Amino acid sequence: MSSSNSVTVQILDKEYSIICPQEERSNLVSAARYLDGKMREIRSSGKVIGADRIAVMAALNITHDLLHKQELPDVQASGSTREQVRDLLERVDLVLSSDTEQPKG
């Protein structure tokens, strides 16, 4: 594939070159900006350290938001998916916070 099909995006101060159809470039750039913003929010909170952990937390938060929006039209829904995601986020937060409290060696 030629480099004309490639888009370079910057996420958390790193550049990524991604092959993408011309008609999807705008969506890809928007998605990268959104992800970058979420990752910067998490990093600035100081609760999560390390790009890989920040990326996982951002992915979980974005997934949580997506699932929440999908459930909104059905007001009668039990909310079990939302509760499962919330529980998962709490467990990940707990593990990550306990990991950052341990001295690095």
Side-chain angles (χ1 to χ4, degrees):
M1 298 207 126
S2 70
S3 62
S4 63
N5 292 335
S6 174
V7 176
T8 301
V9 295
Q10 192 164 5
I11 301 171
L12 210 60
D13 304 324
K14 290 184 89 175
E15 285 192 354
Y16 299 89
S17 187
I18 303 166
I19 295 174
C20 177
Q22 181 70 31
E23 62 274 10
E24 291 295 322
R25 285 180 179 217
S26 178
N27 289 336
L28 175 63
V29 170
S30 294
R33 282 188 191 135
Y34 185 78
L35 177 59
D36 181 62
K38 289 291 186 181
M39 289 178 70
R40 288 179 186 281
E41 284 176 23
I42 292 167
R43 182 176 68 179
S44 69
S45 76
K47 294 180 181 178
V48 181
I49 298 172
D52 56 339
R53 292 174 186 267
I54 291 170
V56 169
M57 288 305 299
L60 285 170
N61 288 333
I62 291 167
T63 303
H64 177 265
D65 292 346
L66 176 65
L67 291 174
H68 178 70
K69 286 179 182 176
Q70 288 175 345
E71 289 180 354
L72 284 180
D74 186 6
V75 178
Q76 301 298 324
S78 68
S80 64
T81 303
R82 188 177 322 150
E83 291 169 11
Q84 289 172 345
V85 171
R86 190 175 298 123
D87 181 56
L88 179 61
L89 285 170
E90 288 173 2
R91 287 190 285 167
V92 169
D93 277 338
L94 181 64
V95 169
L96 291 176
S97 66
S98 66
D99 188 48
T100 58
E101 292 172 3
Q102 296 177 0
K104 304 288 182 198

